[in-house]
Amino acid sequence: MLTYLLSFIGLSLLALVALTRMIVLIVSMQRECPETGPAARLVAVTVATGFCAIGAGGVFLIAAAFPLLAQAPMMAFFVGLGLAVLCLGLGFSHAVNTLRLMLHRSNVLADS
């Protein structure tokens, strides 16, 4: 059971790091833009930090439920991993939409 739990935590946190890196890469492309560049760094740090905190909390919350399925550790591993990846993917799409909205707002405020 411990092997499945540690594998779940490792793979889930790896997915979290990969998605956070994607958020930072998306914003690094925006930094070159003269209109949204100044706000891009602040927005990137805020959104990426929030995504990491919520994502890590979700991963550990799912890991805490592993003992409930102690009779079937492989099933717990796959169900937990699927749920974690699903939640991280939904959180990623929400983070990117928040990122877009904040950069758009900063551009609109700069024009006024």
Side-chain angles (χ1 to χ4, degrees):
M1 180 69 177
L2 185 61
T3 304
Y4 288 110
L5 180 63
L6 293 176
S7 297
F8 164 75
I9 291 173
L11 288 172
S12 296
L13 291 179
L14 185 65
L16 179 65
V17 168
L19 291 172
T20 303
R21 177 81 175 131
M22 288 171 61
I23 291 171
V24 171
L25 287 175
I26 289 169
V27 174
S28 70
M29 289 185 264
Q30 291 289 331
R31 275 192 234 162
E32 298 170 6
C33 177
E35 296 172 357
T36 60
R41 178 176 291 173
L42 176 66
V43 172
V45 169
T46 305
V47 171
T49 304
F51 177 71
C52 274
I54 293 171
V59 166
F60 290 121
L61 189 62
I62 293 169
F66 262 55
L68 298 175
L69 293 172
Q71 301 299 334
M74 186 175 271
M75 187 173 87
F77 172 75
F78 285 117
V79 168
L81 192 60
L83 183 61
V85 170
L86 176 70
C87 292
L88 289 173
L90 291 171
F92 174 77
S93 67
H94 181 68
V96 169
N97 283 332
T98 301
L99 185 67
R100 271 198 215 145
L101 178 66
M102 294 307 291
L103 288 177
H104 177 71
R105 280 187 183 170
S106 69
N107 190 19
V108 169
L109 291 175
D111 288 343
S112 359

